[in-house]
Amino acid sequence: MVTTSTATRPNGVATRGIMYVHSAPSALCPHVEWAVGGVLGMPVSLDWTPQPAQGGTYRAELSWTGSAGSAAAVASALRGWNHLRFEITEEPTSSSEGARYSYTPELGVFHAVTGLHGDIMIPEDRLKAAVVKAALGDTTVLLEIDKLLGKPWDDELETFRHAGEGAPVRWLHQVV
């Protein structure tokens, strides 16, 4: 089940997004709710379900509405918490790009700017830096592009993204 939260904040354009807490120990669950509620400016109560990928942990989803930049604020509030894995997205607005944040204790925070259809948009200077690193022999272009696209985070989170047997499938966007 997805919990929905709407915050009205006077500063900025309204946007919406989804937060997936992929795994959190039970003792951390109320702290996640408090931290997210503090950022969104309203109480948040998540529907926690057991995470079959890691015993003793729980998962939850939150559909939220708030001011542009809320995803960054939530990611900042939750980063660095041991044993927590999450992703949060923010849709673009007429005056701001979209965003995707992923977090694992081992890799830290991944951030990407996203376009209208959810594609990751890589800035030119980051691509040039990847090519230079590869030319110097520090790495390969393929490895650097994988990092820019968040592949290490995707690889680590993929197991946690699945709710388990019998979980309902939710279509987030319908393409016509």
Side-chain angles (χ1 to χ4, degrees), residues 98-119:
R100 173 183 165 212
Y101 295 87
S102 300
Y103 177 81
T104 73
E106 296 78 20
L107 298 172
V109 174
F110 167 76
H111 168 253
V113 173
T114 58
L116 183 61
H117 301 290
D119 296 324

Side-chain angles (χ1 to χ4, degrees), residues 13-166:
V13 176
T15 187
R16 61 186 179 174
I18 296 179
M19 180 182 74
Y20 300 96
V21 177
H22 294 296
S23 69
S26 60
L28 199 55
C29 295
H31 298 282
V32 170
E33 292 176 357
W34 295 329
V36 174
V39 169
L40 295 178
M42 62 181 300
V44 170
S45 178
L46 299 175
D47 184 19
W48 295 97
T49 59
Q51 172 53 272
Q54 185 177 29
T57 65
Y58 294 84
R59 63 187 323 273
E61 298 177 20
L62 173 70
S63 178
W64 60 270
T65 302
S67 62
S70 292
V74 169
S76 292
L78 298 179
R79 73 174 202 196
W81 292 18
N82 286 334
H83 311 293
L84 179 66
R85 290 172 183 83
F86 70 87
E87 292 180 280
I88 185 166
T89 61
E90 180 172 302
E91 292 184 4
T93 69
S94 61
S95 60
S96 65
E97 302 289 355
R100 173 183 165 212
Y101 295 87
S102 300
Y103 177 81
T104 73
E106 296 78 20
L107 298 172
V109 174
F110 167 76
H111 168 253
V113 173
T114 58
L116 183 61
H117 301 290
D119 296 324
I120 291 177
M121 299 173 16
I122 302 171
E124 179 182 347
D125 60 332
R126 292 186 72 192
L127 284 171
K128 286 179 180 178
V131 170
V132 168
K133 280 178 87 173
L136 294 173
D138 295 341
T139 186
T140 67
V141 172
L142 181 59
L143 244 136
E144 288 303 302
I145 289 174
D146 281 349
K147 287 181 195 172
L148 292 171
L149 293 172
K151 186 176 182 326
W153 286 264
D154 285 340
D155 290 347
E156 188 170 325
L157 291 172
E158 191 59 32
T159 302
F160 294 92
R161 288 179 176 144
H162 301 284
E165 292 295 317

